[in-house]
Amino acid sequence: MSEKGISTLGREGLILRLKEAQSKFGYVPQEVMAELAQSLEIPINEVYGVASFYSFLSTRPLGRNVIRICRSLPCYLKGAQTVIEAVEKELGIKPGETTPDGRFSFQLANCIGLCDQAPAMLINQDAHVELTPEKITQILRMYK
Amino acid sequence: MNFTQIKNRAIAEWEAQRKSDKPHILVGSATCGRAAGAGPVLEAIKATLAQHNLEATITQVGCIGLCYAEPLVDIVKPGRPRISYGNVTPEIIPQLIEDYLIHDNPRADLALGTLGEGDIEGIPKLFELPMLKPQVRIALRNCGIIDPENINQYIANGGYSGLERALSLSPEAVIEEIKKSGLRGRGGAGFPTGLKWEFCRKSPGTIKYIICNADEGDPGAFMDRSLLEGDPHAVLEGMLIGAYAIGATEGYIYVRAEYPLAIQRLKLALQQMAEYGLLGDNILGSNLSLHLKIKEGAGAFVCGEETAMMASIEGKRGMPRSRPPFPAQSGLWGKPTNINNVETWANVSAIMQRGADWYSSYGSEKSKGTKTFALAGKINRTGLIEVPMGISLEKIVYDIGGGIPGGKRFKAVQTGGPSGGCLPASQLNLPVDYESLTAAGSIMGSGGMVVMDEDTCIVDVARYFLSFTQAESCGKCVPCRLGTKQMLDMLENICRGQGKPEDIDLLLELSQRVKAGSLCALGGTAPNPVLTTIRYFREEYEAHIKEKRCPALACTELISYYILPDKCQGCGICLRDCPAEAIAGGKRMVHVIDQDKCIKCGTCLDVCPERFGAVVKVSGEEIEVPKEPVPVAAAKPNTQA
């Protein structure tokens, strides 16, 4: 590793540090990006470029709980659309939005690897499978 | 402790458990099992054992692949074969345990099958069942069998003996062995693994890297997740062997953030390896040194592409770059780098444990060994399978997968995710190997297999895949960023009934341009779903464009719902349930759908009592119905007059 020197090592850890900020604040605040840019001696636009590239990082505040419904083909074939509509109806928000009380952010994900029990979603790190519109109310109630 | 001592202890521990006079209960606790409710089942087992003062060893194992039957619980009584029970619930556990452990009734009615020596009356052997009989488990050899969190169980089952054997050979001889086995990259492209290693070994430089690609992202693919959750050491042993053969001293396992359990099990596995001297400097006293790190992805499909993955490991935006230089010459931080997929690494350890000749005895002429597939979509038995190369698609879909649910007709199977294609019924006899799938217009891909039935619109599927690649395109090169957008717009128009006659030819032309001009495989293969669906289902595209008709009755904007006046009894259920208030009617009046207000949700069709069957869904045709509600009797002049 010595050949790469200290600064490269730090640069390598940028995504990890952004993820840490994400889990601490629920998003990556601009001040954190500025701090990281300064300590790594790279332009802030480079930090923003990385933060805005990955779907698990958000540059805007997210809700306390993040719902990620799989929109990929196996889930789609098994009726994911009706589940998406049920969440929209229950929370009154569309994919990409956050409830005004900050309780939920709602996103669509590309395959979460639970195709065997489609349709599936993640809420934070919990997997919920074989979803139906009826199950949604009950599942959402578990997250405060 | 040297490795022989470690091995002897591990074997003694394994044998002691096998010969123990206590029953052994195994709970499938991969993500699939957990999601299906393995947690509460495990609690119920513990509570029941405590209640009856029974002693038993409980092990949480990975996924054996029968995901459709999760949660799975296996019970081994001393001297008896292991019995697998499927679809177990916490409610059934107290009775099952009491019946089998106390009253010696093995509950054949709840059992799927037995594993191991011996028979139990009324229960078939698990691996004689149609879904398991054609399977050969090499990469998945330990999944569902051993405790993935216990390195000793891996070692007791031959684990790390492949590394021992590799270390007794020269690195060149290891590469020869892998070449001889015929192993090709299981990530999808099928490049010969031994050759790839040789390029990297021969590349000048003292620092070299190896990477395990665990950024599984193809829709419908979950093989790598199951493998990492069920047997992480099989993958890690492969990496040690690869590092030795290539001369790498640093390595990364790049896992997608969507797989928290796989990450957790890998971390634990690395810790155990370090404790046994299987990681770090001078591994097992040899001159092999390897330091491995886990890199968690952050949600970007394109990072599965090797140059994008390396950029992401370096902490940058995960964008691919043009090749050459290939990673074997200039990869991570400009050093020679070798990337293989999870399943490839697990095959490497098996090959070194049991030999290249044994491995190459499976498979077809140019595709040796086995391949894992994730079966999903409209198929009875979803799950994870491993089959010898060359097996027919038909055997996979019908024998292993159990065919299509609900008596529906098979329409197509999609292999290779967004880079692959849709194969129709006429291709079901196709042998599954790299060359045959490519010749048929699809690819082997990483192993996702999504089955579609007659209710699936093939144009809609092509549209879906383009929307996927469009969303995941990193935007660096124009053909991928804008070409896929143009294609998506055209497909959306076709699904809406706004397609133009020249669209099919234009899609074909654009496909060729996007394939030829894109920087990486994401764009280079993105048109495949469109090309194969046009090749095999052109008439379905034409129906959408020329007749404004969706033959599968799936594209919302091309379908209409009607209430048949001679069948409607005026019960009012559809009127009450219609979310768009698009139905007019009254008591004993034939109900009428206002086509302008209808949102095509299908609620009326679902709720209309089966004995009436008055609601129909059609595409490309209009049905003569009254404009206003009329009395039920008036609509039936022939029967009521």
Side-chain angles (χ1 to χ4, degrees), chain B residues 450-470:
Chain B
V450 186
V451 178
M452 292 161 240
D453 68 6
E454 57 189 297
D455 293 341
T456 315
C457 170
I458 218 80
V459 187
D460 189 38
V461 167
R463 180 202 58 78
Y464 160 75
F465 275 111
L466 259 291
S467 76
F468 178 92
T469 32
Q470 211 331 274

Side-chain angles (χ1 to χ4, degrees), chain B residues 328-469:
Chain B
Q329 303 148 337
S330 173
L332 206 52
W333 291 292
K335 309 289 180 202
T337 303
N338 179 81
I339 303 187
N340 283 125
N341 152 276
V342 169
E343 188 183 339
T344 312
W345 289 120
N347 276 303
V348 164
S349 53
I351 291 165
M352 290 313 290
Q353 284 169 17
R354 305 190 59 177
D357 293 334
W358 162 80
Y359 188 81
S360 63
S361 69
Y362 296 104
S364 61
E365 195 198 335
K366 287 184 178 166
S367 304
K368 295 297 181 194
T370 55
K371 177 78 193 82
T372 60
F373 289 102
L375 285 183
K378 302 290 185 76
I379 189 152
N380 275 315
R381 293 192 281 262
T382 58
L384 181 70
I385 64 165
E386 182 170 0
V387 288
M389 295 271 195
I391 192 173
S392 72
L393 277 172
E394 188 167 16
K395 227 175 161 71
I396 293 179
V397 173
Y398 287 96
D399 291 359
I400 299 177
I404 318 300
K408 297 273 183 183
R409 209 160 39 86
F410 169 89
K411 183 165 192 173
V413 56
Q414 211 280 340
T415 70
S419 314
C422 291
L423 301 169
S426 63
Q427 298 290 323
L428 272 175
N429 56 357
L430 197 74
V432 174
D433 60 38
Y434 292 101
E435 279 71 24
S436 308
L437 284 169
T438 307
S442 187
I443 60 163
M444 175 77 80
S446 59
M449 245 188 214
V450 186
V451 178
M452 292 161 240
D453 68 6
E454 57 189 297
D455 293 341
T456 315
C457 170
I458 218 80
V459 187
D460 189 38
V461 167
R463 180 202 58 78
Y464 160 75
F465 275 111
L466 259 291
S467 76
F468 178 92
T469 32

Side-chain angles (χ1 to χ4, degrees), chain B residues 5-36:
Chain B
Q5 287 166 318
I6 289 173
K7 197 159 57 180
N8 289 340
R9 203 185 56 175
I11 292 171
E13 203 178 285
W14 178 258
E15 285 303 314
Q17 190 183 63
R18 258 167 41 93
K19 291 182 185 138
S20 159
D21 51 7
K22 277 193 287 185
H24 188 188
I25 301 176
L26 303 101
V27 183
S29 304
T31 300
C32 51
R34 291 184 176 195

Side-chain angles (χ1 to χ4, degrees), chain A residues 1 3-4 8-9 11-15 19 46 48-50 52-57 71-74 76-78 110-117 122 125 127-130, chain B residues 31-32 35-36 67 207 209 219-220 222 225 250 252 256 258 260 293 295-299 312-318 333 335 377-378 382 456 460 463-465 467-468 472:
Chain A
M1 284 292 196
E3 208 177 289
K4 290 194 302 285
T8 326
L9 272 175
R11 183 68 185 78
E12 176 195 344
L14 178 58
I15 295 173
K19 284 178 88 171
E46 202 177 317
Y48 177 78
V50 173
S52 58
F53 184 80
Y54 296 95
S55 66
F56 274 54
L57 298 172
R71 60 182 285 275
S72 82
L73 185 64
Y76 180 70
L77 291 177
K78 296 257 178 100
N110 271 335
C111 198
I112 51 176
L114 291 163
C115 328
D116 49 328
Q117 296 173 70
L122 291 173
Q125 293 216 329
H128 299 276
V129 297
E130 293 180 344
Chain B
T31 300
C32 51
C67 307
I207 295 183
Y209 294 99
F222 50 89
R225 168 177 66 69
E250 305 274 343
Y252 289 91
R256 67 193 303 228
E258 289 87 341
K293 278 189 196 164
K295 272 276 171 181
E296 285 180 38
S312 184
I313 291 175
E314 292 174 9
K316 299 175 185 154
R317 285 165 73 93
W333 291 292
K335 309 289 180 202
K378 302 290 185 76
T382 58
T456 315
D460 189 38
R463 180 202 58 78
Y464 160 75
F465 275 111
S467 76
F468 178 92
E472 296 293 345

Side-chain angles (χ1 to χ4, degrees), chain B residues 24-107:
Chain B
H24 188 188
I25 301 176
L26 303 101
V27 183
S29 304
T31 300
C32 51
R34 291 184 176 195
V41 167
L42 186 65
E43 290 312 310
I45 292 172
K46 286 180 184 164
T48 311
L49 291 173
Q51 193 196 337
H52 294 287
N53 262 328
L54 290 168
E55 269 193 71
T57 313
I58 300 175
T59 308
Q60 299 192 46
V61 293
C63 171
I64 202 160
L66 309 174
C67 307
Y68 69 96
E70 291 283 3
L72 286 163
V73 171
D74 289 19
I75 303 181
V76 198
K77 277 181 84 168
R80 301 274 187 84
R82 169 171 166 178
I83 307 178
S84 278
Y85 298 94
N87 296 311
V88 177
T89 59
E91 292 74 34
I92 218 163
I93 282 292
Q95 199 59 47
L96 175 65
I97 289 186
E98 204 185 311
D99 284 347
Y100 190 30
L101 293 191
I102 299 175
H103 305 301
D104 207 28
N105 169 6
R107 291 300 302 264

